[in-house]
Amino acid sequence: MANEIFVGGGGADYATAQGLSLDYANRHGLIAGATGTGKTVTLQILAEGFSNAGVPVFMADVKGDLSGMAKSGDPAHKLHTPFMERAAKIGFADYSYQAFPVTFWDLFGTQGHPVRTTIAEMGPLLLSRLLELSEAQEGILNIAFRLADEEGMALLDLDDLRAMLVWMGENRKSLSLRYGNVSVASIGAIQRRLLVLENQGGGGFFVEPALDLDDMMRCDADGRGQINILAADVLMSSPRLYATFLLWLLSELFETLPEVGDPDKPKFVFFFDEAHLLFDGASDALVDKVEQVARLIRSKGVGVYFVTQNPDDIPEDILGQLGNRVQHALRAFTARDRKALRLAAETYRENPRFDIETAIREVGVGEAVTSFLQKKGVPGMAERTLIRPPSSQLGPITAAERGGVMGASDLAGKYDTPVDRRSAHEILTERAAAAAQAAEEAEAAEEAQEARAREFSAGRRYTGKRVSRSTSGTGSRSRRKSTDSFGEQMGKMVMKELTGTTGRRIVRGILGGLFKAR
């Protein structure tokens, strides 16, 4: 099939080839269906097709099954005969087993190369989503990011953000005049959420070196696109972290890649598994952001494919942008299920040979109702399609095999060692230390001044010698005492201010002016 990814066979006898056109693969897509209906295999064969076409792919391995793509299928596998029979039935004459160029990634750095970013790159909107902050708390976070920019302080890790929040609490009165109410209660709530995130293992995610997207968008020596697999089986225990990470990666692609218009094939394909986690409890602002990214990112050559159980998990404005669809079976046990089934059927172009709603309910495992964009972006007619068998191993590889793939990668070691460069935490710590030292020096100067005053009051010079009582020195001594008394009083006033709260703020302000530039 020229410039198409062979997906399976349709028609009355399943012998009519059904394929996803690479010309329209960046128009996004949907893979939906109930648990156990074959979504993972569909995800696997689409990734294989994109890789063979020279398109790099990113996908999350939620159940641990996709790691088998690094290994060729095996004729000794128990499903070898059924695979061959299905390939013959759907006219897949070129079917053979092969391994694919896989790179494993892991936010926790155990089942893949570590994936890292910084607080600054995550941004306040996604971070607020991750921390489940209220509107008022999100406002505090926005102020923290604004101050970091103004003061030239990089927010890289959780320590940086904590230090910035502490500084804001100490200076909340002056900040409230500039930015609105800075509440200690809101700052405390954010600090507690950061503690929860750290306890869930999120602290290791926010650290340098940050991920270089070019390390995901590569092809091997044979021109096959790299398949990037994120180990997500453990990550799924923190669903907010999972969804926020994928959103961050999508936004990074959007902000980093140049415009390419309508390419002959995508530059990158992004599969978003368990897509309902993205929208559960999401604010209107976040949904609008995702809708905007989905609408605009296709002009940068990126195709986004949402994988979920039910199409109504996806907001309507986003669902309308998903032109390529693979709908596995939906079970209609409740009124809500029946409504969702009916709505799913209505989004397909009718086929006079069968009723789409009935077909979605009746298709078996490994079968789906498909519709792919055709010439000029017109949706293809719905078709009952037998999905082709995978060429790579069905099911996971062993831990030893995974380790071998990771060790052989040219990315081995690149992201393993965290880098802690000078950033907001270090800068604020230095400022606090400098202010404390200035306060100590001011206190010592005040004590010395008071000691000098006591010496003069006792009738002695500061050197310890007795003051001359000659009449000729009386006027000179009186003038000197009068002058010293005035200087003494001024000194006391200045030292008192410097050692007080106002003085410490003045010192911080003076020091702060030295760190305006990044």
Side-chain angles (χ1 to χ4, degrees), residues 55-119:
V55 179
V57 169
F58 174 87
M59 58 205 309
D61 190 3
V62 174
K63 296 182 292 184
D65 293 342
L66 294 173
S67 61
M69 297 187 71
K71 188 176 180 180
S72 174
D74 187 355
H77 193 277
K78 63 181 180 180
L79 293 178
H80 172 69
T81 299
F83 282 175
M84 291 300 172
E85 291 173 351
R86 173 165 292 199
K89 185 174 185 178
I90 62 178
F92 191 13
D94 296 334
Y95 178 59
S96 62
Y97 292 132
Q98 66 176 125
F100 288 83
V102 168
T103 299
F104 292 112
W105 302 92
D106 185 2
L107 260 67
F108 306 113
T110 57
Q111 299 185 74
H113 305 298
V115 183
R116 297 189 172 109
T117 187
T118 64
I119 293 289

Side-chain angles (χ1 to χ4, degrees), residues 161-181:
L161 184 55
R162 288 195 188 100
M164 178 59 74
L165 292 170
V166 169
W167 186 86
M168 289 174 60
E170 292 173 345
N171 297 271
R172 61 187 179 279
K173 290 185 179 179
S174 60
L175 292 176
S176 294
L177 295 175
R178 294 172 58 190
Y179 301 107
N181 184 41

Side-chain angles (χ1 to χ4, degrees), residues 44-335:
Q44 184 170 341
I45 65 104
L46 285 178
E48 291 178 354
F50 280 119
S51 178
N52 280 332
V55 179
V57 169
F58 174 87
M59 58 205 309
D61 190 3
V62 174
K63 296 182 292 184
D65 293 342
L66 294 173
S67 61
M69 297 187 71
K71 188 176 180 180
S72 174
D74 187 355
H77 193 277
K78 63 181 180 180
L79 293 178
H80 172 69
T81 299
F83 282 175
M84 291 300 172
E85 291 173 351
R86 173 165 292 199
K89 185 174 185 178
I90 62 178
F92 191 13
D94 296 334
Y95 178 59
S96 62
Y97 292 132
Q98 66 176 125
F100 288 83
V102 168
T103 299
F104 292 112
W105 302 92
D106 185 2
L107 260 67
F108 306 113
T110 57
Q111 299 185 74
H113 305 298
V115 183
R116 297 189 172 109
T117 187
T118 64
I119 293 289
E121 288 178 339
M122 177 68 71
L125 178 62
L126 290 181
L127 196 58
S128 296
R129 158 74 169 169
L130 175 60
L131 299 176
E132 302 180 69
L133 301 184
S134 67
E135 184 177 350
Q137 293 159 4
E138 183 178 347
I140 297 293
L141 205 58
N142 275 282
I143 295 173
F145 275 77
R146 175 68 176 271
L147 287 170
D149 287 339
E150 291 178 351
E151 295 290 327
M153 294 184 290
L155 294 177
L156 303 180
D157 54 28
L158 295 184
D159 285 341
D160 290 329
L161 184 55
R162 288 195 188 100
M164 178 59 74
L165 292 170
V166 169
W167 186 86
M168 289 174 60
E170 292 173 345
N171 297 271
R172 61 187 179 279
K173 290 185 179 179
S174 60
L175 292 176
S176 294
L177 295 175
R178 294 172 58 190
Y179 301 107
N181 184 41
V182 177
S183 165
V184 174
S186 293
I187 291 175
I190 298 172
Q191 295 281 38
R192 288 191 294 274
R193 296 305 305 169
L194 290 174
L195 180 62
V196 172
L197 175 62
E198 188 172 42
N199 289 340
Q200 292 176 341
F205 175 50
F206 294 105
V207 66
E208 291 187 310
L211 174 67
D212 182 353
L213 290 180
D214 288 340
D215 287 338
M216 286 190 171
M217 304 180 65
R218 308 188 301 174
C219 294
D220 69 1
D222 297 325
R224 296 183 301 169
Q226 175 176 293
I227 297 177
N228 302 278
I229 298 180
L230 176 73
D233 48 347
V234 176
L235 181 60
M236 286 302 296
S237 62
S238 303
R240 287 253 175 183
L241 181 58
Y242 167 78
T244 305
F245 165 73
L246 294 188
L247 263 180
W248 165 79
L249 184 57
L250 187 61
S251 66
E252 285 293 296
L253 289 167
F254 174 70
E255 294 172 4
T256 303
L257 298 179
E259 296 280 342
V260 295
D262 286 320
D264 293 336
K265 62 182 180 181
K267 300 296 182 183
F268 193 76
V269 169
F270 186 99
F271 289 99
F272 204 134
D273 202 359
E274 299 294 342
H276 66 280
L277 296 176
L278 171 58
F279 304 106
D280 287 348
S283 65
D284 291 340
L286 183 61
V287 173
D288 289 345
K289 177 70 173 177
V290 176
E291 190 272 333
Q292 179 189 32
V293 170
R295 184 177 68 254
L296 299 177
I297 202 171
R298 76 180 194 185
S299 66
K300 300 195 174 192
V302 177
V304 182
Y305 289 72
F306 293 93
V307 185
T308 189
Q309 291 195 15
N310 206 311
D312 69 357
D313 293 334
I314 312 297
E316 186 174 352
D317 288 344
I318 297 174
L319 187 63
Q321 298 183 47
L322 311 182
N324 300 294
R325 303 194 178 193
V326 179
Q327 177 66 63
H328 290 274
L330 286 177
R331 311 305 182 199
F333 298 119
T334 66

Side-chain angles (χ1 to χ4, degrees), residues 448-470:
Q449 191 79 343
E450 290 175 350
R452 184 183 297 113
R454 287 194 297 271
E455 289 292 336
F456 276 111
S457 298
R460 297 177 179 271
R461 296 186 185 276
Y462 186 65
T463 57
K465 296 179 180 179
R466 184 175 297 276
V467 178
S468 171
R469 294 184 179 273
S470 63

